[in-house]
Amino acid sequence: MHTFAPLDTDQDEQATTLAALFPVLQQQVNGHRLVYLDSAASSQKPRAVIESIERFYRRDNANVHRGLHELSTRATEAYEAARVRVANFLGIDDPAELIWTRGTTEGLNLVAWSWGGSNLRPGDEILLSVLEHHSNLVPWQLVAERTGARLRFLDIDDRGCLDLSNLDQLLTPRTRVVSVAHVSNALGTINPIRTIADRARSVGAIVVVDGAQSAPHLPVNVWELGCDFFAFSGHKVCGPTGIGGLWGRRELLEQMPPLFGGGDMIDEVELERSTYAPLPHRFEAGTPHIAGAIGLGAAIEFLQSVGMHRIHRHERTLLAYALQRLREVPGLRVFGPTALEERSGVISFTLADVHPHDLATILDAEGVAIRAGHHCAQPLMRRLGVSATARASFYLYNTHADVDRLVEALNRARELFGCGEIS
């Protein structure tokens, strides 16, 4: 395991040292050093993760939980050790409460279809917010259509923070579920999950958290959040694609029916009926993504060796610098809170009347990779009165020099699109 000096002093030097451990960052794009500012979409992978996956396929490849030979034993031990490590990362005492999924989307769908499908009734209410990712909207829309439940929504204020002024009016005895993002993928807003959870619990509602944008960047403890379910994606925490996790309280998980059937999720199967395996396997049908889980375990080990508090502080420093530098770009409009404690290292912006897609193309020509579009948050875009934004997102391997490159590229775009000085 690697051990790194803290990202506290001389942060750029430490971030540069970390970046050297990510092979994909050691390249030029369109003749420029690659500046990767799209980690909110998918983070890059350190060598330790890539090698863990290669080692599994080269040395230990076998199915888990069913072989009586050495390779299957090794695969099973590595697979379950990864579960223990990821559980520890999220403050989970019982690893059996952590279910492997394909990512945040599957985790949220699992809760909606399994818990929601068996507990919601006509007239029940599901409280969401206008800043949710589609993955935390569509599953609840589908289950509402099937059960007759009603969707209600928290709005945002002018800063881009959730408006909790009418939370007590929105939470009623009919509210059965509150499902919100911990961090907005489009605005970077950090939502006050504990406050929402405490008030939701007072009316008997369960709380589901979309942790896709918080698990990679903030120290997370699911018990301190006060939630009932927490879903996250592996590929955003320096791990592989196609693997993620869903944590749920044991008493809720044990009452939920399996979502898929077959493979490890069974206990006894007869022709007309079956009984199901204990947690977590009752929700893990079929051959799982073994290499992915092992790679995710390696990714979490990597992040823990750096330290999540240090990663968060580093990103906040970069965020402060970026917000300051972006103010120097005429015509640039930044969305989301201005207070650092209210946002993570995600900055959505527009530049004059330049379409964000055109802006992203120009920046790519300068070797700067950002995101542009509706960010799978179309209702939020409508709420903001725009069709799309550009988005730069930072991670532990970015530096102040990367922010400078972003600003230089934006000024280059202004020149190309003929943007005049805007007061």
Side-chain angles (χ1 to χ4, degrees), residues 40-341:
S42 192
S43 66
Q44 297 301 344
K45 322 306 175 193
R47 194 174 298 117
V49 170
I50 297 168
E51 290 175 351
S52 74
I53 296 169
E54 181 183 18
R55 184 166 54 249
F56 169 73
Y57 281 126
R58 282 185 178 277
R59 178 178 178 271
D60 302 326
N61 181 49
N63 216 325
V64 293
H65 298 144
R66 59 194 73 174
L68 298 176
H69 52 79
E70 173 66 17
L71 265 59
S72 181
T73 300
R74 286 187 211 157
T76 301
E77 289 176 352
Y79 177 76
E80 292 301 336
R83 193 192 306 271
V84 172
R85 180 169 286 280
V86 175
N88 172 266
F89 177 71
L90 297 173
I92 302 167
D93 298 324
D94 181 1
E97 294 178 338
L98 178 68
I99 299 157
W100 294 129
T101 65
R102 288 182 296 172
T104 307
T105 299
E106 183 171 288
L108 295 170
N109 271 275
L110 195 161
V111 178
W113 287 97
S114 180
W115 188 92
S118 55
N119 286 280
L120 293 173
R121 302 287 181 269
D124 287 346
E125 295 177 351
I126 302 166
L127 182 59
L128 309 170
S129 85
V130 298
L131 58 65
E132 300 307 316
H133 190 284
H134 296 166
S135 293
N136 197 30
L137 286 175
V138 180
W140 295 112
Q141 292 171 355
L142 292 170
V143 79
E145 289 174 4
R146 193 174 66 163
T147 62
R150 176 189 178 200
L151 301 176
R152 305 191 75 185
F153 297 93
L154 283 164
D155 199 359
I156 56 174
D157 59 22
D158 293 339
R159 298 171 301 152
C161 296
L162 286 182
D163 180 2
L164 301 184
S165 62
N166 63 342
L167 179 59
D168 289 334
Q169 286 71 50
L170 289 169
L171 288 171
T172 74
R174 306 302 302 262
T175 309
R176 301 297 311 282
V177 184
V178 178
S179 189
V180 291
H182 193 178
V183 174
S184 164
N185 73 307
L187 296 179
T189 310
I190 301 173
N191 293 322
I193 298 298
R194 183 73 205 205
T195 299
I196 295 170
D198 287 345
R199 289 160 78 171
R201 200 170 302 284
S202 70
V203 297
I206 68 162
V207 177
V208 184
V209 174
D210 169 359
Q213 298 296 337
S214 62
H217 305 286
L218 311 173
V220 170
N221 182 302
V222 296
W223 294 102
E224 291 178 0
L225 290 177
C227 59
D228 298 284
F229 294 97
F230 183 95
F232 73 102
S233 296
H235 71 102
K236 297 182 193 292
V237 293
C238 297
T241 55
I243 186 72
L246 172 71
W247 168 80
R249 292 181 187 269
R250 175 176 278 276
E251 61 270 27
L252 296 175
L253 290 172
E254 289 183 333
Q255 295 169 6
M256 290 162 50
L259 192 59
F260 301 106
D264 263 1
M265 55 77 67
I266 62 96
D267 175 26
E268 291 287 338
V269 176
E270 300 176 16
L271 286 177
E272 302 291 342
R273 61 179 296 278
S274 300
T275 57
Y276 308 122
L279 297 174
H281 305 300
R282 66 185 298 161
F283 293 107
E284 296 178 354
T287 296
H289 188 2
I290 304 166
I294 292 170
L296 176 53
I300 296 303
E301 183 179 18
F302 176 82
L303 292 180
Q304 288 177 319
S305 72
V306 180
M308 293 305 298
H309 286 284
R310 290 162 179 162
I311 292 170
H312 181 47
R313 278 200 295 270
H314 174 64
E315 292 182 21
R316 183 168 290 185
T317 300
L318 283 183
L319 176 65
Y321 182 65
L323 290 173
Q324 174 192 332
R325 288 298 322 272
L326 290 174
R327 291 191 195 102
E328 301 169 8
V329 181
L332 192 132
R333 177 189 177 192
V334 172
F335 297 85
T338 55
L340 295 179
E341 63 273 16

Side-chain angles (χ1 to χ4, degrees), residues 4-23:
F4 303 99
L7 281 168
D8 292 329
T9 58
D10 201 356
Q11 293 184 350
D12 273 2
E13 182 179 342
Q14 295 298 323
T16 301
T17 300
L18 290 170
L21 302 174
F22 290 73

